[in-house]
Amino acid sequence: MPPKPRPTEPISKPPTTLASSIVIAEGASLTGTYPIKIGANTVIHPRAKLSSAHGPITIGESCIICERTLISPPDAGGLVIGDGTVVEVNAVVEGSVGTGSVVEVGGRNCKLGPLTKVLDGEVVEDNTVIYGSGQRRVDVSGTESARRRLLERHIESLRVLIPSNPSKFIN
Amino acid sequence: MPPKQTKGEYIETDTGNKVSRKSVILGSQNIILGGKTIIQADCTIRGDLRRTVAPGQHSGNVAIAVGRYCFLSRSSVLRPPGRTHQKTFSYYPMKIGDHVFVGEGSVVEAALIGSYVHIAKDCVIGKFTIIKDCVRIEEGTVVAPNTVIPSFSLVSGRPGVVIDELPETAQEGLELKNLYRMI
């Protein structure tokens, strides 16, 4: 029996600006009406969801957006994810993220541990680490450039592993 | 529209694995299921994240190996851990023993999980964690990366620490044969 044709998606394709060197898996989903901009060398894993229904999304260079993440700006002000950010599995991002941050499941060079939450309107200072059940500390180790180098190697290996299909998302 | 349960929610393989049609399995050529394993809807398994450095003679190209009678609940994620070693980033294979239960919405990036391990729902098991046999991990636990959890432990909290020991009879309670029959 031939498989039934899937119903076409009612959601409109957003206007996208994709850098030529990005890796975006076919299984990723970009939806909404506001523009989505993705910088060079960024990797979008399959099943990542970027929804620009309420505002524009700008993702910087050398980011990794893992599977099952939901990135959706809450209002027309939009959302900016800085260069070198890693958004880990299952994370929900509704606010802007600074350069070099790592967001796991939940300012600049910040690290949010798994299952942590940052409240609405809250500003997290540079180099903050949020861990455990809401504890915070400031990371003064100054390993920013080392972390960036590791990230670039990570992206290089993902470039081999994830089949990229940017043409599907360009309109 | 209510979901149809009657006509093939699960695809059954020759070795008795039951894999939901709605699960997300990437890189299935790099995944080994031992048999009688249940994979529920919306469960994500990242077999495509395999080793990028030349694999040794023994390791082959397996990204995720799962034993018998495992149960992967809805929305759980299995994802091999990755790290940079000697200037190259690579993912490393993940091994899961027999009778391992992974609860709803849990994210597992462990390197090794023994047999008779119960991971409750909404847990996060960090990268390169090693969990030995007969361990129970309570709901909402976050196990930090590189943790080693000994046998017969009860783990809870953020970060997950061993809060109690399990009795020697724990293995019986952690068997999943009955759960397999129910599906």
Side-chain angles (χ1 to χ4, degrees):
Chain A
M1 196 178 82
K4 283 182 208 161
R6 287 182 179 227
T8 48
E9 282 193 12
I11 313 149
S12 61
K13 261 193 182 180
T16 49
T17 317
L18 308 180
S20 58
S21 58
I22 67 161
V23 177
I24 181 161
E26 202 173 341
S29 89
L30 308 182
T31 57
T33 46
Y34 284 90
I36 296 179
K37 214 189 238 178
I38 300 176
N41 292 321
T42 287
V43 178
I44 315 271
H45 280 266
R47 302 284 163 148
K49 268 190 196 143
L50 281 72
S51 167
S52 66
H54 305 290
I57 300 176
T58 309
I59 295 177
E61 291 177 17
S62 302
C63 294
I64 300 177
I65 313 289
C66 290
E67 68 269 24
R68 303 176 66 93
T69 52
L70 175 63
I71 296 177
S72 73
D75 53 43
L79 178 155
V80 178
I81 292 184
D83 295 352
T85 305
V86 181
V87 180
E88 284 276 8
V89 191
N90 271 1
V92 179
V93 181
E94 293 190 334
S96 294
V97 181
T99 309
S101 305
V102 179
V103 182
E104 289 180 50
V105 193
R108 201 178 136 86
N109 285 322
C110 293
K111 180 170 173 141
L112 307 181
L115 303 179
T116 52
K117 281 186 185 137
V118 177
L119 300 177
D120 292 358
E122 192 177 350
V123 178
V124 180
E125 297 292 327
D126 291 359
N127 299 315
T128 308
V129 181
I130 304 181
Y131 61 99
S133 41
Q135 291 105 312
R136 294 180 182 206
R137 69 180 173 88
V138 176
D139 183 2
V140 288
S141 60
T143 51
E144 192 178 328
S145 59
R147 239 187 290 170
R148 186 63 184 257
R149 278 204 303 280
L150 291 180
L151 184 68
E152 275 160 16
R153 292 195 187 117
H154 189 168
I155 290 171
E156 281 311 306
S157 75
L158 287 174
R159 199 178 283 284
V160 180
L161 293 175
I162 297 179
S164 179
N165 186 7
S167 58
K168 188 187 160 192
F169 301 98
I170 295 171
N171 47 350
Chain B
M1 199 177 89
K4 278 185 201 166
Q5 288 290 330
T6 45
K7 205 213 132 218
E9 233 261 72
Y10 293 95
I11 301 166
E12 194 168 346
T13 67
D14 293 342
T15 45
N17 297 305
K18 291 178 184 176
V19 181
S20 169
R21 289 174 200 275
K22 291 182 192 126
S23 63
V24 182
I25 296 182
L26 298 150
S28 51
Q29 68 273 24
N30 302 324
I31 299 172
I32 292 179
L33 297 178
K36 312 223 170 175
T37 284
I38 292 164
I39 299 173
Q40 286 200 312
D42 214 20
C43 176
T44 310
I45 304 185
R46 294 300 302 268
D48 55 337
L49 304 179
R50 58 171 205 277
R51 288 189 80 130
T52 40
V53 292
Q57 276 193 318
H58 304 288
S59 57
N61 226 352
V62 176
I64 297 182
V66 181
R68 290 158 64 81
Y69 291 106
C70 290
F71 191 97
L72 308 176
S73 311
R74 281 170 169 276
S75 309
S76 56
V77 180
L78 293 192
R79 165 174 231 272
R83 67 166 173 199
T84 304
H85 181 60
Q86 291 179 346
K87 298 191 176 177
T88 48
F89 184 92
S90 176
Y91 284 96
Y92 289 83
M94 174 193 234
K95 278 182 195 150
I96 295 182
D98 304 338
H99 298 268
V100 172
F101 179 93
V102 180
E104 272 180 45
S106 287
V107 178
V108 178
E109 289 186 86
L112 185 76
I113 296 181
S115 298
Y116 302 97
V117 174
H118 183 100
I119 299 171
K121 67 175 185 177
D122 299 325
C123 291
V124 178
I125 310 295
K127 293 183 176 76
F128 293 100
T129 303
I130 294 175
I131 302 177
K132 299 286 189 178
D133 298 347
C134 286
V135 172
R136 192 179 278 271
I137 296 179
E138 295 202 324
E139 197 180 315
T141 303
V142 176
V143 178
N146 304 310
T147 313
V148 178
I149 298 173
S151 291
F152 295 98
S153 311
L154 178 65
V155 181
S156 178
R158 292 178 194 175
V161 285
V162 178
I163 54 163
D164 204 356
E165 278 183 14
L166 295 182
E168 280 181 35
T169 54
Q171 185 176 326
E172 289 160 29
L174 293 165
E175 272 202 17
L176 296 179
K177 276 187 181 166
N178 290 331
L179 196 58
Y180 175 78
R181 289 196 196 105
M182 274 158 59
I183 298 263

